[in-house]
PDB file of all heavy atoms in Angstrom:
ATOM      1  N   ARG V  21     -12.726   0.811  10.655  1.00 90.00           N
ATOM      2  CA  ARG V  21     -14.129   0.777  11.056  1.00 90.00           C
ATOM      3  C   ARG V  21     -15.043   0.904   9.843  1.00 90.00           C
ATOM      4  O   ARG V  21     -16.187   1.311   9.964  1.00 90.00           O
ATOM      5  CB  ARG V  21     -14.408   1.889  12.064  1.00 90.00           C
ATOM      6  CG  ARG V  21     -13.693   1.667  13.378  1.00 90.00           C
ATOM      7  CD  ARG V  21     -14.145   2.635  14.414  1.00 90.00           C
ATOM      8  NE  ARG V  21     -13.497   2.329  15.684  1.00 90.00           N
ATOM      9  CZ  ARG V  21     -13.393   3.161  16.677  1.00 90.00           C
ATOM     10  NH1 ARG V  21     -13.884   4.370  16.575  1.00 90.00           N
ATOM     11  NH2 ARG V  21     -12.805   2.807  17.792  1.00 90.00           N
ATOM     12  N   THR V  22     -14.525   0.557   8.662  1.00 91.00           N
ATOM     13  CA  THR V  22     -15.304   0.698   7.437  1.00 91.00           C
ATOM     14  C   THR V  22     -16.307  -0.427   7.253  1.00 91.00           C
ATOM     15  O   THR V  22     -17.353  -0.228   6.638  1.00 91.00           O
ATOM     16  CB  THR V  22     -14.389   0.709   6.197  1.00 91.00           C
ATOM     17  OG1 THR V  22     -13.724  -0.548   6.107  1.00 91.00           O
ATOM     18  CG2 THR V  22     -13.388   1.838   6.259  1.00 91.00           C
ATOM     19  N   GLY V  23     -15.975  -1.614   7.739  1.00 91.00           N
ATOM     20  CA  GLY V  23     -16.830  -2.774   7.501  1.00 91.00           C
ATOM     21  C   GLY V  23     -16.635  -3.353   6.111  1.00 91.00           C
ATOM     22  O   GLY V  23     -17.331  -4.290   5.718  1.00 91.00           O
ATOM     23  N   ILE V  24     -15.696  -2.795   5.343  1.00 90.00           N
ATOM     24  CA  ILE V  24     -15.432  -3.270   3.988  1.00 90.00           C
ATOM     25  C   ILE V  24     -14.463  -4.450   4.066  1.00 90.00           C
ATOM     26  O   ILE V  24     -13.442  -4.369   4.725  1.00 90.00           O
ATOM     27  CB  ILE V  24     -14.819  -2.148   3.124  1.00 90.00           C
ATOM     28  CG1 ILE V  24     -15.789  -0.965   3.039  1.00 90.00           C
ATOM     29  CG2 ILE V  24     -14.469  -2.657   1.741  1.00 90.00           C
ATOM     30  CD1 ILE V  24     -15.189   0.269   2.394  1.00 90.00           C
ATOM     31  N   VAL V  25     -14.813  -5.546   3.388  1.00 89.00           N
ATOM     32  CA  VAL V  25     -13.952  -6.723   3.381  1.00 89.00           C
ATOM     33  C   VAL V  25     -13.517  -7.026   1.955  1.00 89.00           C
ATOM     34  O   VAL V  25     -14.116  -6.556   0.998  1.00 89.00           O
ATOM     35  CB  VAL V  25     -14.660  -7.960   3.989  1.00 89.00           C
ATOM     36  CG1 VAL V  25     -14.954  -7.738   5.456  1.00 89.00           C
ATOM     37  CG2 VAL V  25     -15.930  -8.276   3.234  1.00 89.00           C
ATOM     38  N   GLY V  26     -12.471  -7.797   1.827  1.00 88.00           N
ATOM     39  CA  GLY V  26     -11.991  -8.186   0.511  1.00 88.00           C
ATOM     40  C   GLY V  26     -10.588  -7.682   0.273  1.00 88.00           C
ATOM     41  O   GLY V  26     -10.000  -7.000   1.099  1.00 88.00           O
ATOM     42  N   SER V  27     -10.061  -8.026  -0.878  1.00 87.00           N
ATOM     43  CA  SER V  27      -8.721  -7.603  -1.271  1.00 87.00           C
ATOM     44  C   SER V  27      -8.828  -6.487  -2.310  1.00 87.00           C
ATOM     45  O   SER V  27      -9.722  -6.507  -3.152  1.00 87.00           O
ATOM     46  CB  SER V  27      -7.948  -8.775  -1.867  1.00 87.00           C
ATOM     47  OG  SER V  27      -7.785  -9.790  -0.905  1.00 87.00           O
ATOM     48  N   PHE V  28      -7.904  -5.547  -2.241  1.00 86.00           N
ATOM     49  CA  PHE V  28      -7.927  -4.404  -3.143  1.00 86.00           C
ATOM     50  C   PHE V  28      -6.526  -4.105  -3.638  1.00 86.00           C
ATOM     51  O   PHE V  28      -5.556  -4.292  -2.923  1.00 86.00           O
ATOM     52  CB  PHE V  28      -8.462  -3.156  -2.418  1.00 86.00           C
ATOM     53  CG  PHE V  28      -9.838  -3.328  -1.858  1.00 86.00           C
ATOM     54  CD1 PHE V  28     -10.021  -3.801  -0.568  1.00 86.00           C
ATOM     55  CD2 PHE V  28     -10.948  -3.033  -2.626  1.00 86.00           C
ATOM     56  CE1 PHE V  28     -11.281  -3.964  -0.044  1.00 86.00           C
ATOM     57  CE2 PHE V  28     -12.217  -3.205  -2.112  1.00 86.00           C
ATOM     58  CZ  PHE V  28     -12.395  -3.668  -0.820  1.00 86.00           C
ATOM     59  N   ASP V  29      -6.432  -3.627  -4.859  1.00 89.00           N
ATOM     60  CA  ASP V  29      -5.192  -3.066  -5.389  1.00 89.00           C
ATOM     61  C   ASP V  29      -5.363  -1.562  -5.298  1.00 89.00           C
ATOM     62  O   ASP V  29      -6.373  -1.017  -5.764  1.00 89.00           O
ATOM     63  CB  ASP V  29      -4.983  -3.472  -6.856  1.00 89.00           C
ATOM     64  CG  ASP V  29      -4.635  -4.938  -7.000  1.00 89.00           C
ATOM     65  OD1 ASP V  29      -3.956  -5.466  -6.102  1.00 89.00           O
ATOM     66  OD2 ASP V  29      -5.028  -5.537  -8.011  1.00 89.00           O
ATOM     67  N   TYR V  30      -4.401  -0.902  -4.707  1.00 86.00           N
ATOM     68  CA  TYR V  30      -4.493   0.548  -4.587  1.00 86.00           C
ATOM     69  C   TYR V  30      -3.101   1.160  -4.677  1.00 86.00           C
ATOM     70  O   TYR V  30      -2.101   0.504  -4.463  1.00 86.00           O
ATOM     71  CB  TYR V  30      -5.162   0.961  -3.275  1.00 86.00           C
ATOM     72  CG  TYR V  30      -4.384   0.567  -2.040  1.00 86.00           C
ATOM     73  CD1 TYR V  30      -3.491   1.460  -1.458  1.00 86.00           C
ATOM     74  CD2 TYR V  30      -4.526  -0.690  -1.461  1.00 86.00           C
ATOM     75  CE1 TYR V  30      -2.763   1.098  -0.330  1.00 86.00           C
ATOM     76  CE2 TYR V  30      -3.804  -1.049  -0.346  1.00 86.00           C
ATOM     77  CZ  TYR V  30      -2.930  -0.152   0.220  1.00 86.00           C
ATOM     78  OH  TYR V  30      -2.208  -0.506   1.325  1.00 86.00           O
ATOM     79  N   ARG V  31      -3.096   2.412  -5.045  1.00 89.00           N
ATOM     80  CA  ARG V  31      -1.854   3.176  -5.111  1.00 89.00           C
ATOM     81  C   ARG V  31      -2.120   4.474  -4.372  1.00 89.00           C
ATOM     82  O   ARG V  31      -3.090   5.178  -4.663  1.00 89.00           O
ATOM     83  CB  ARG V  31      -1.471   3.452  -6.556  1.00 89.00           C
ATOM     84  CG  ARG V  31      -0.199   4.234  -6.677  1.00 89.00           C
ATOM     85  CD  ARG V  31       0.107   4.527  -8.133  1.00 89.00           C
ATOM     86  NE  ARG V  31       1.266   5.386  -8.203  1.00 89.00           N
ATOM     87  CZ  ARG V  31       2.363   5.090  -8.849  1.00 89.00           C
ATOM     88  NH1 ARG V  31       2.467   3.950  -9.484  1.00 89.00           N
ATOM     89  NH2 ARG V  31       3.365   5.936  -8.885  1.00 89.00           N
ATOM     90  N   LEU V  32      -1.256   4.791  -3.445  1.00 87.00           N
ATOM     91  CA  LEU V  32      -1.417   5.985  -2.631  1.00 87.00           C
ATOM     92  C   LEU V  32      -0.112   6.765  -2.666  1.00 87.00           C
ATOM     93  O   LEU V  32       0.942   6.228  -2.348  1.00 87.00           O
ATOM     94  CB  LEU V  32      -1.765   5.583  -1.188  1.00 87.00           C
ATOM     95  CG  LEU V  32      -2.132   6.689  -0.218  1.00 87.00           C
ATOM     96  CD1 LEU V  32      -3.389   7.420  -0.676  1.00 87.00           C
ATOM     97  CD2 LEU V  32      -2.360   6.104   1.168  1.00 87.00           C
ATOM     98  N   GLU V  33      -0.193   8.025  -3.072  1.00 89.00           N
ATOM     99  CA  GLU V  33       0.998   8.864  -3.141  1.00 89.00           C
ATOM    100  C   GLU V  33       0.842  10.028  -2.177  1.00 89.00           C
ATOM    101  O   GLU V  33      -0.174  10.732  -2.204  1.00 89.00           O
ATOM    102  CB  GLU V  33       1.192   9.388  -4.564  1.00 89.00           C
ATOM    103  CG  GLU V  33       1.495   8.277  -5.553  1.00 89.00           C
ATOM    104  CD  GLU V  33       1.710   8.784  -6.963  1.00 89.00           C
ATOM    105  OE1 GLU V  33       1.781  10.015  -7.161  1.00 89.00           O
ATOM    106  OE2 GLU V  33       1.814   7.948  -7.861  1.00 89.00           O
ATOM    107  N   TRP V  34       1.867  10.231  -1.327  1.00 85.00           N
ATOM    108  CA  TRP V  34       1.866  11.312  -0.359  1.00 85.00           C
ATOM    109  C   TRP V  34       3.296  11.697  -0.033  1.00 85.00           C
ATOM    110  O   TRP V  34       4.236  11.015  -0.389  1.00 85.00           O
ATOM    111  CB  TRP V  34       1.116  10.907   0.902  1.00 85.00           C
ATOM    112  CG  TRP V  34       1.890   9.991   1.790  1.00 85.00           C
ATOM    113  CD1 TRP V  34       2.642  10.344   2.871  1.00 85.00           C
ATOM    114  CD2 TRP V  34       2.024   8.569   1.679  1.00 85.00           C
ATOM    115  NE1 TRP V  34       3.226   9.233   3.440  1.00 85.00           N
ATOM    116  CE2 TRP V  34       2.868   8.130   2.720  1.00 85.00           C
ATOM    117  CE3 TRP V  34       1.514   7.629   0.792  1.00 85.00           C
ATOM    118  CZ2 TRP V  34       3.202   6.807   2.903  1.00 85.00           C
ATOM    119  CZ3 TRP V  34       1.859   6.300   0.986  1.00 85.00           C
ATOM    120  CH2 TRP V  34       2.677   5.909   2.019  1.00 85.00           C
ATOM    121  N   VAL V  35       3.417  12.812   0.672  1.00 83.00           N
ATOM    122  CA  VAL V  35       4.724  13.269   1.133  1.00 83.00           C
ATOM    123  C   VAL V  35       4.818  12.944   2.625  1.00 83.00           C
ATOM    124  O   VAL V  35       3.946  13.337   3.396  1.00 83.00           O
ATOM    125  CB  VAL V  35       4.887  14.793   0.909  1.00 83.00           C
ATOM    126  CG1 VAL V  35       6.169  15.296   1.525  1.00 83.00           C
ATOM    127  CG2 VAL V  35       4.861  15.092  -0.571  1.00 83.00           C
ATOM    128  N   PRO V  36       5.845  12.223   3.036  1.00 77.00           N
ATOM    129  CA  PRO V  36       5.989  11.872   4.450  1.00 77.00           C
ATOM    130  C   PRO V  36       6.151  13.120   5.327  1.00 77.00           C
ATOM    131  O   PRO V  36       6.723  14.116   4.904  1.00 77.00           O
ATOM    132  CB  PRO V  36       7.256  11.023   4.501  1.00 77.00           C
ATOM    133  CG  PRO V  36       7.603  10.697   3.102  1.00 77.00           C
ATOM    134  CD  PRO V  36       6.929  11.688   2.220  1.00 77.00           C
ATOM    135  N   ASP V  37       5.632  13.028   6.532  1.00 71.00           N
ATOM    136  CA  ASP V  37       5.813  14.095   7.516  1.00 71.00           C
ATOM    137  C   ASP V  37       7.258  14.040   7.997  1.00 71.00           C
ATOM    138  O   ASP V  37       7.703  13.005   8.485  1.00 71.00           O
ATOM    139  CB  ASP V  37       4.852  13.874   8.682  1.00 71.00           C
ATOM    140  CG  ASP V  37       4.956  14.928   9.760  1.00 71.00           C
ATOM    141  OD1 ASP V  37       5.788  15.852   9.634  1.00 71.00           O
ATOM    142  OD2 ASP V  37       4.190  14.840  10.733  1.00 71.00           O
ATOM    143  N   PRO V  38       8.007  15.148   7.885  1.00 65.00           N
ATOM    144  CA  PRO V  38       9.409  15.137   8.324  1.00 65.00           C
ATOM    145  C   PRO V  38       9.576  14.716   9.782  1.00 65.00           C
ATOM    146  O   PRO V  38      10.583  14.127  10.142  1.00 65.00           O
ATOM    147  CB  PRO V  38       9.861  16.577   8.113  1.00 65.00           C
ATOM    148  CG  PRO V  38       8.951  17.122   7.074  1.00 65.00           C
ATOM    149  CD  PRO V  38       7.637  16.418   7.290  1.00 65.00           C
ATOM    150  N   ALA V  39       8.580  14.985  10.615  1.00 66.00           N
ATOM    151  CA  ALA V  39       8.672  14.609  12.031  1.00 66.00           C
ATOM    152  C   ALA V  39       8.701  13.097  12.207  1.00 66.00           C
ATOM    153  O   ALA V  39       9.250  12.589  13.183  1.00 66.00           O
ATOM    154  CB  ALA V  39       7.499  15.199  12.810  1.00 66.00           C
ATOM    155  N   ASN V  40       8.107  12.361  11.261  1.00 62.00           N
ATOM    156  CA  ASN V  40       8.069  10.901  11.349  1.00 62.00           C
ATOM    157  C   ASN V  40       9.152  10.232  10.517  1.00 62.00           C
ATOM    158  O   ASN V  40       9.218   9.014  10.448  1.00 62.00           O
ATOM    159  CB  ASN V  40       6.698  10.379  10.891  1.00 62.00           C
ATOM    160  CG  ASN V  40       5.597  10.769  11.832  1.00 62.00           C
ATOM    161  OD1 ASN V  40       5.821  11.023  13.000  1.00 62.00           O
ATOM    162  ND2 ASN V  40       4.392  10.837  11.317  1.00 62.00           N
ATOM    163  N   MET V  41       9.998  11.024   9.855  1.00 62.00           N
ATOM    164  CA  MET V  41      11.044  10.463   9.012  1.00 62.00           C
ATOM    165  C   MET V  41      12.249  10.060   9.856  1.00 62.00           C
ATOM    166  O   MET V  41      12.531  10.686  10.879  1.00 62.00           O
ATOM    167  CB  MET V  41      11.453  11.472   7.937  1.00 62.00           C
ATOM    168  CG  MET V  41      10.341  11.754   6.940  1.00 62.00           C
ATOM    169  SD  MET V  41      10.743  13.042   5.769  1.00 62.00           S
ATOM    170  CE  MET V  41      11.838  12.173   4.686  1.00 62.00           C
ATOM    171  N   PRO V  42      12.959   9.022   9.446  1.00 62.00           N
ATOM    172  CA  PRO V  42      14.129   8.587  10.207  1.00 62.00           C
ATOM    173  C   PRO V  42      15.277   9.589  10.086  1.00 62.00           C
ATOM    174  O   PRO V  42      15.347  10.368   9.141  1.00 62.00           O
ATOM    175  CB  PRO V  42      14.503   7.259   9.546  1.00 62.00           C
ATOM    176  CG  PRO V  42      13.960   7.358   8.170  1.00 62.00           C
ATOM    177  CD  PRO V  42      12.723   8.206   8.261  1.00 62.00           C
ATOM    178  N   MET V  43      16.159   9.549  11.068  1.00 65.00           N
ATOM    179  CA  MET V  43      17.330  10.416  11.049  1.00 65.00           C
ATOM    180  C   MET V  43      18.324   9.899  10.012  1.00 65.00           C
ATOM    181  O   MET V  43      18.508   8.705   9.861  1.00 65.00           O
ATOM    182  CB  MET V  43      17.970  10.478  12.424  1.00 65.00           C
ATOM    183  CG  MET V  43      17.095  11.155  13.448  1.00 65.00           C
ATOM    184  SD  MET V  43      17.869  11.278  15.054  1.00 65.00           S
ATOM    185  CE  MET V  43      18.937  12.659  14.796  1.00 65.00           C
ATOM    186  N   ILE V  44      18.940  10.819   9.298  1.00 68.00           N
ATOM    187  CA  ILE V  44      19.972  10.490   8.319  1.00 68.00           C
ATOM    188  C   ILE V  44      21.216  11.272   8.696  1.00 68.00           C
ATOM    189  O   ILE V  44      21.179  12.504   8.777  1.00 68.00           O
ATOM    190  CB  ILE V  44      19.516  10.848   6.893  1.00 68.00           C
ATOM    191  CG1 ILE V  44      18.244  10.071   6.546  1.00 68.00           C
ATOM    192  CG2 ILE V  44      20.632  10.579   5.886  1.00 68.00           C
ATOM    193  CD1 ILE V  44      17.602  10.490   5.253  1.00 68.00           C
ATOM    194  N   ASN V  45      22.299  10.554   8.942  1.00 71.00           N
ATOM    195  CA  ASN V  45      23.555  11.188   9.380  1.00 71.00           C
ATOM    196  C   ASN V  45      23.349  12.062  10.613  1.00 71.00           C
ATOM    197  O   ASN V  45      23.871  13.165  10.705  1.00 71.00           O
ATOM    198  CB  ASN V  45      24.186  12.006   8.246  1.00 71.00           C
ATOM    199  CG  ASN V  45      24.629  11.132   7.092  1.00 71.00           C
ATOM    200  OD1 ASN V  45      25.023   9.993   7.286  1.00 71.00           O
ATOM    201  ND2 ASN V  45      24.553  11.655   5.891  1.00 71.00           N
ATOM    202  N   GLY V  46      22.532  11.593  11.543  1.00 64.00           N
ATOM    203  CA  GLY V  46      22.333  12.293  12.809  1.00 64.00           C
ATOM    204  C   GLY V  46      21.362  13.457  12.753  1.00 64.00           C
ATOM    205  O   GLY V  46      21.209  14.180  13.725  1.00 64.00           O
ATOM    206  N   ALA V  47      20.685  13.676  11.623  1.00 62.00           N
ATOM    207  CA  ALA V  47      19.744  14.793  11.518  1.00 62.00           C
ATOM    208  C   ALA V  47      18.500  14.344  10.763  1.00 62.00           C
ATOM    209  O   ALA V  47      18.552  13.471   9.911  1.00 62.00           O
ATOM    210  CB  ALA V  47      20.394  15.968  10.794  1.00 62.00           C
ATOM    211  N   LYS V  48      17.380  14.973  11.100  1.00 55.00           N
ATOM    212  CA  LYS V  48      16.136  14.692  10.391  1.00 55.00           C
ATOM    213  C   LYS V  48      16.035  15.619   9.184  1.00 55.00           C
ATOM    214  O   LYS V  48      16.435  16.767   9.241  1.00 55.00           O
ATOM    215  CB  LYS V  48      14.932  14.921  11.302  1.00 55.00           C
ATOM    216  CG  LYS V  48      14.757  13.838  12.336  1.00 55.00           C
ATOM    217  CD  LYS V  48      13.350  13.874  12.871  1.00 55.00           C
ATOM    218  CE  LYS V  48      13.162  12.739  13.835  1.00 55.00           C
ATOM    219  NZ  LYS V  48      12.285  11.725  13.321  1.00 55.00           N
ATOM    220  N   PRO V  49      15.470  15.122   8.074  1.00 59.00           N
ATOM    221  CA  PRO V  49      15.261  15.994   6.921  1.00 59.00           C
ATOM    222  C   PRO V  49      14.297  17.111   7.290  1.00 59.00           C
ATOM    223  O   PRO V  49      13.378  16.904   8.086  1.00 59.00           O
ATOM    224  CB  PRO V  49      14.636  15.072   5.876  1.00 59.00           C
ATOM    225  CG  PRO V  49      14.806  13.693   6.389  1.00 59.00           C
ATOM    226  CD  PRO V  49      15.057  13.761   7.854  1.00 59.00           C
ATOM    227  N   ASP V  50      14.488  18.310   6.735  1.00 59.00           N
ATOM    228  CA  ASP V  50      13.618  19.426   7.099  1.00 59.00           C
ATOM    229  C   ASP V  50      12.290  19.419   6.353  1.00 59.00           C
ATOM    230  O   ASP V  50      11.345  20.066   6.755  1.00 59.00           O
ATOM    231  CB  ASP V  50      14.328  20.765   6.928  1.00 59.00           C
ATOM    232  CG  ASP V  50      14.611  21.113   5.482  1.00 59.00           C
ATOM    233  OD1 ASP V  50      14.152  20.392   4.581  1.00 59.00           O
ATOM    234  OD2 ASP V  50      15.296  22.127   5.251  1.00 59.00           O
ATOM    235  N   GLY V  51      12.185  18.715   5.253  1.00 53.00           N
ATOM    236  CA  GLY V  51      10.920  18.597   4.543  1.00 53.00           C
ATOM    237  C   GLY V  51      10.557  19.802   3.708  1.00 53.00           C
ATOM    238  O   GLY V  51       9.531  19.811   3.040  1.00 53.00           O
ATOM    239  N   SER V  52      11.360  20.855   3.722  1.00 54.00           N
ATOM    240  CA  SER V  52      11.011  22.066   2.981  1.00 54.00           C
ATOM    241  C   SER V  52      11.040  21.857   1.474  1.00 54.00           C
ATOM    242  O   SER V  52      10.416  22.600   0.740  1.00 54.00           O
ATOM    243  CB  SER V  52      11.947  23.212   3.373  1.00 54.00           C
ATOM    244  OG  SER V  52      13.278  22.888   3.024  1.00 54.00           O
ATOM    245  N   LYS V  53      11.745  20.852   0.998  1.00 58.00           N
ATOM    246  CA  LYS V  53      11.837  20.601  -0.441  1.00 58.00           C
ATOM    247  C   LYS V  53      10.822  19.561  -0.897  1.00 58.00           C
ATOM    248  O   LYS V  53      10.791  19.211  -2.067  1.00 58.00           O
ATOM    249  CB  LYS V  53      13.255  20.164  -0.797  1.00 58.00           C
ATOM    250  CG  LYS V  53      14.271  21.247  -0.529  1.00 58.00           C
ATOM    251  CD  LYS V  53      15.661  20.797  -0.852  1.00 58.00           C
ATOM    252  CE  LYS V  53      16.605  21.939  -0.519  1.00 58.00           C
ATOM    253  NZ  LYS V  53      17.890  21.532  -0.106  1.00 58.00           N
ATOM    254  N   LEU V  54      10.012  19.065   0.019  1.00 61.00           N
ATOM    255  CA  LEU V  54       9.014  18.064  -0.322  1.00 61.00           C
ATOM    256  C   LEU V  54       7.712  18.760  -0.715  1.00 61.00           C
ATOM    257  O   LEU V  54       7.270  19.688  -0.052  1.00 61.00           O
ATOM    258  CB  LEU V  54       8.769  17.127   0.864  1.00 61.00           C
ATOM    259  CG  LEU V  54       9.992  16.372   1.364  1.00 61.00           C
ATOM    260  CD1 LEU V  54       9.644  15.568   2.600  1.00 61.00           C
ATOM    261  CD2 LEU V  54      10.554  15.463   0.284  1.00 61.00           C
ATOM    262  N   ASP V  55       7.107  18.326  -1.805  1.00 69.00           N
ATOM    263  CA  ASP V  55       5.888  18.948  -2.279  1.00 69.00           C
ATOM    264  C   ASP V  55       4.869  17.861  -2.583  1.00 69.00           C
ATOM    265  O   ASP V  55       5.148  16.943  -3.345  1.00 69.00           O
ATOM    266  CB  ASP V  55       6.183  19.772  -3.539  1.00 69.00           C
ATOM    267  CG  ASP V  55       4.977  20.572  -4.000  1.00 69.00           C
ATOM    268  OD1 ASP V  55       4.160  20.961  -3.145  1.00 69.00           O
ATOM    269  OD2 ASP V  55       4.860  20.790  -5.212  1.00 69.00           O
ATOM    270  N   GLY V  56       3.703  17.964  -1.984  1.00 78.00           N
ATOM    271  CA  GLY V  56       2.654  16.985  -2.237  1.00 78.00           C
ATOM    272  C   GLY V  56       1.695  16.917  -1.067  1.00 78.00           C
ATOM    273  O   GLY V  56       1.800  17.671  -0.098  1.00 78.00           O
TER     274      GLY V  56
END
């Protein structure tokens, strides 16, 4: 809803929410070691 048009180069760094992370070997990562 910004109304901004055009193409942009951007870089975004974040730590994924463990709740939205895929399961690995039948378990979700706990996220306790993620910092950011």
Side-chain angles (χ1 to χ4, degrees):
R21 293 189 176 161
T22 63
I24 300 171
V25 295
S27 298
F28 302 90
D29 289 326
Y30 64 93
R31 180 182 175 122
L32 187 62
E33 294 181 8
W34 76 96
V35 174
D37 180 359
N40 293 336
M41 294 175 76
M43 294 182 79
I44 300 172
N45 295 328
K48 286 199 176 250
D50 68 7
S52 63
K53 296 179 181 149
L54 301 176
D55 186 30

